[in-house]
Amino acid sequence: MGPDRPWVLLSFIINPIGNLYKMVINSIISSKYLFLGLFTAAVYSNYLTATQTDSANSVYLPGGDFSGFNYTRGWLDGGANHQSIQTDSATYVYLPGGGFSGFYYTRGWLDGGANDQSITYHCFSAGCLALVSSALHIPIASVFDRAVRIQSDWREGIIHRFEVLPLFVDWLLEHANDSSELSFSNVKILTTEFPFVMRVDSPRTKEELRQRLLETARIPFVLSPVQSLSDLQITDGGFSLVSHLWHLPIDLGVWSLSYKMMRNFLDVGVTIDTCLSIYEEGKKDRIRVMDHMLRLKTKRIGNETNKGG
């Protein structure tokens, strides 16, 4: 069986779209994003006031090129008391998908700092795969090696693209203990029940974890076949994204809207150099954000000391 030609054709469609995305992002009026950031900050501040929360919140500031800069600056300018942000206050961390590039970005982000076992992770698709690979302490070099091998088999027509995900998931779980009980109680895997209903599961066994990982990354016609309506009953967690943002408790979200991320999120043929670059981007973002929060925390403690003195 030859390489999967329809998918190769799709990549020729995605790449120009990626280039168009970059042009549009760079040409959008900056003030629009500044206003959007101010508005979001106002809504968020009202939410905190309404819930009467007095606990400090961790905030993740992703990229986004020129528009991202103006949006983030607007968000910061629209809020008050930045000194309340701490590095150790995130209780719920949200790890979304992002396809192939999202996997490497999230894994880099997780590798960029220590992972607190008290944190509850809500994840879907690539975010879950990255979290599991990190939790099982699989070296990133081994992940790259396996990805290249699976990619090579796909290119040579040895495997179909529908086999890419199961092969990768099974390889990840080879590193898990054979015990039927797994310590993933702090991991909440998000999937979508037809049509767009969010489902949250905490796998308790190795087999349950495998099933949830396959379901949360199941994109019909792209990474999984559709032979009947039953194949659409449980699909990728991203299809219920609106419910995530509306109903889930999220103290910190891990994502990037960079051009490189958007261009490669569905590219089965993404190069290993690009993957490594995205991995390092995630790692640097984690370090940079945590360093920034640490400086804010130090400044807050200093201000409180001065007031007390």
Side-chain angles (χ1 to χ4, degrees), residues 154-167:
W154 169 77
R155 285 183 179 278
E156 294 176 10
I158 298 175
I159 62 173
H160 192 277
R161 73 169 184 274
F162 294 158
E163 299 176 87
V164 170
L165 179 61
L167 285 172

Side-chain angles (χ1 to χ4, degrees), residues 87-88 90 93 108-119 121 134 283 286-287 290:
T87 60
D88 56 358
V93 174
W109 198 94
L110 292 169
D111 289 352
N115 294 315
D116 191 340
Q117 294 298 316
S118 66
I119 292 175
Y121 293 97
S134 177
K283 201 170 185 179
R286 170 71 175 268
I287 295 172
M290 290 306 163

Side-chain angles (χ1 to χ4, degrees), residues 94-129:
Y94 181 62
L95 304 177
F100 302 99
S101 51
F103 171 85
Y104 290 107
Y105 178 86
T106 303
R107 176 58 196 266
W109 198 94
L110 292 169
D111 289 352
N115 294 315
D116 191 340
Q117 294 298 316
S118 66
I119 292 175
T120 296
Y121 293 97
H122 286 94
C123 66
F124 71 87
S125 197
C128 292
L129 297 176

Side-chain angles (χ1 to χ4, degrees), residues 163-177:
E163 299 176 87
V164 170
L165 179 61
L167 285 172
F168 189 67
V169 168
D170 288 340
W171 176 79
L172 288 179
L173 295 183
E174 288 177 4
H175 298 79
N177 296 328

Side-chain angles (χ1 to χ4, degrees), residues 111-276:
D111 289 352
N115 294 315
D116 191 340
Q117 294 298 316
S118 66
I119 292 175
T120 296
Y121 293 97
H122 286 94
C123 66
F124 71 87
S125 197
C128 292
L129 297 176
L131 178 59
V132 169
S133 73
S134 177
L136 294 177
H137 307 291
I138 305 176
I140 190 61
S142 298
V143 174
F144 281 135
D145 180 68
R146 175 57 58 169
V148 169
R149 203 175 303 178
I150 293 177
Q151 182 188 75
S152 176
D153 287 346
W154 169 77
R155 285 183 179 278
E156 294 176 10
I158 298 175
I159 62 173
H160 192 277
R161 73 169 184 274
F162 294 158
E163 299 176 87
V164 170
L165 179 61
L167 285 172
F168 189 67
V169 168
D170 288 340
W171 176 79
L172 288 179
L173 295 183
E174 288 177 4
H175 298 79
N177 296 328
D178 292 331
S179 171
S180 59
E181 294 295 328
L182 294 175
S183 56
F184 280 94
S185 59
N186 65 326
V187 177
K188 311 295 183 183
I189 296 181
L190 308 171
T191 53
T192 303
E193 292 185 353
F194 185 84
F196 302 107
V197 180
M198 176 183 69
R199 192 179 78 176
V200 184
D201 291 293
S202 292
R204 291 172 297 178
T205 67
K206 187 174 180 179
E207 183 55 36
E208 285 182 2
L209 178 60
R210 180 183 186 275
Q211 187 63 27
R212 298 293 90 79
L213 290 177
L214 291 176
E215 290 174 346
T216 192
R218 179 182 292 162
I219 303 178
F221 303 107
V222 177
L223 291 177
S224 66
V226 176
Q227 298 176 338
S228 65
L229 289 178
S230 62
D231 293 325
L232 299 175
Q233 287 300 113
I234 305 294
T235 55
D236 192 292
F239 293 121
S240 54
L241 180 62
V242 174
S243 294
H244 303 176
L245 303 179
W246 188 260
H247 296 291
L248 293 178
I250 301 175
D251 293 327
L252 187 151
V254 178
W255 57 73
S256 171
L257 295 178
S258 68
Y259 166 69
K260 187 183 299 182
M261 285 281 294
M262 297 295 290
R263 185 177 186 271
N264 295 286
F265 82 108
L266 279 180
D267 186 4
V268 178
V270 60
T271 67
I272 198 66
D273 289 340
T274 299
C275 293
L276 179 59

Side-chain angles (χ1 to χ4, degrees), residues 80-86 296-297 299-301 303-304:
N81 191 22
H82 299 314
Q83 284 74 25
S84 66
I85 299 174
Q86 297 184 16
L296 291 177
K297 182 178 182 180
K299 183 178 179 180
R300 178 182 60 83
I301 294 175
N303 290 340
E304 291 176 352

